[in-house]
Amino acid sequence: EVVLTQSPGTLSLSPGESATLSCRASQSVSGTYLAWYQQKPGQAPRLLIYAASSRAAGIPDRFSGSGSGTDFTLTIIRVEPEDFAVYYCQHYDSSLFTFGPGTTVDIK
Amino acid sequence: QLNESGPGLVKPSETLSLTCSVAGGSIGAYNYYWGWIRQSPGKGLEWVASISYSGSTSYNPSLASRVTMSRDTSKNQFSLRLSSVTAADTAVYFCSGDEYSASWYAYWGRGALVTVSS
């Protein structure tokens, strides 16, 4: 079973700064099955990135994903006020889903 | 659009039942995939179960002995049953779906809070 670890646990930023969020898998995985979600308080998760680097429909281009093997990254260029939220990575393998514990991006 | 419905309060040892009504797409159409994800208060996301357009199901191994996911294509709904619930099953339950891949979910319901308490 793949275990996902996310770091940092919390990232404190000012609007306009850039954010780099890490997702590490316990074993090498295919990026084809790696996704990122954003969740704001009281809301459902929102798909941001799928297949490690493809933006979902309607997602601004300030969000980008990269990585391979065991290390994947979500980058947010010039964080906007609406980007303060919790971000989860998720992996799919053999019909099973695994979520990481999440990274909170909050206002400094 | 996805919309969860079901009792908001379930007694310990009883069975939690939720239904997700889908609008705007047929749950049995080719390449549509559906799932349930839950989130305990203040915690992260936990996958519960999935069902494909063909009706094949998969379950979180930690819940598999208590979970059943099914679908009713005539009503365009899919459902979750979780038996022998305890307080640890108290969570917001989200139904979700995708029309292209089994590997992630682009569509989400607003979530239904289910509290397990006597």
Side-chain angles (χ1 to χ4, degrees), chain A residues 34-48:
Chain A
L34 195 288
W36 290 91
Y37 298 85
Q38 174 194 68
Q39 188 181 32
K40 298 178 182 179
Q43 296 185 16
R46 175 191 181 196
L47 180 67
L48 296 176

Side-chain angles (χ1 to χ4, degrees), chain A residues 2-48:
Chain A
V2 175
V3 177
L4 300 179
T5 303
Q6 292 187 242
S7 61
T10 301
L11 188 57
S12 296
L13 298 169
S14 298
E17 293 187 305
S18 293
T20 300
L21 286 63
S22 172
C23 176
R24 179 161 290 177
S26 57
Q27 61 193 73
S28 184
V29 299
S30 170
T32 301
Y33 304 110
L34 195 288
W36 290 91
Y37 298 85
Q38 174 194 68
Q39 188 181 32
K40 298 178 182 179
Q43 296 185 16
R46 175 191 181 196
L47 180 67
L48 296 176

Side-chain angles (χ1 to χ4, degrees), chain B residues 1 15 29 35 77 101:
Chain B
Q1 276 189 320
T15 296
Q77 297 175 333
S101 175

Side-chain angles (χ1 to χ4, degrees), chain B residues 12-98:
Chain B
S13 80
E14 295 190 345
T15 296
L16 176 161
S17 295
L18 291 171
T19 296
C20 183
S21 299
V22 179
S26 171
I27 66 168
Y30 178 73
N31 236 24
Y32 275 81
Y33 300 88
W34 310 97
W36 290 97
I37 286 90
R38 71 180 184 179
Q39 186 169 37
S40 300
K43 302 297 185 183
L45 301 171
E46 180 182 29
W47 169 68
V48 178
S50 297
I51 192 166
S52 74
Y53 62 93
S54 64
S56 64
T57 54
S58 55
Y59 301 124
N60 186 321
S62 68
L63 302 170
S65 63
R66 300 191 291 129
V67 171
T68 303
M69 185 173 179
S70 60
R71 63 178 187 165
D72 185 335
T73 55
S74 66
K75 295 182 179 178
N76 218 37
Q77 297 175 333
F78 58 95
S79 299
L80 177 73
R81 288 174 58 86
L82 181 65
S83 64
S84 304
V85 297
T86 69
D89 296 309
T90 294
V92 175
Y93 286 77
F94 296 101
C95 64
S96 56
D98 198 274

Side-chain angles (χ1 to χ4, degrees), chain A residues 13-101:
Chain A
L13 298 169
S14 298
E17 293 187 305
S18 293
T20 300
L21 286 63
S22 172
C23 176
R24 179 161 290 177
S26 57
Q27 61 193 73
S28 184
V29 299
S30 170
T32 301
Y33 304 110
L34 195 288
W36 290 91
Y37 298 85
Q38 174 194 68
Q39 188 181 32
K40 298 178 182 179
Q43 296 185 16
R46 175 191 181 196
L47 180 67
L48 296 176
I49 300 288
Y50 63 92
S53 60
S54 296
R55 267 188 301 277
I59 302 303
D61 59 8
R62 64 179 181 273
F63 291 92
S64 64
S66 63
S68 64
T70 60
D71 293 306
F72 297 87
T73 300
L74 175 70
T75 301
I76 313 172
I77 301 295
R78 294 183 299 276
V79 169
E80 300 276 344
E82 62 266 29
D83 300 336
F84 293 100
V86 181
Y87 293 83
Y88 295 95
C89 59
Q90 173 249 306
H91 181 254
Y92 175 84
D93 180 43
S94 301
S95 301
L96 304 180
F97 285 75
T98 305
F99 286 92

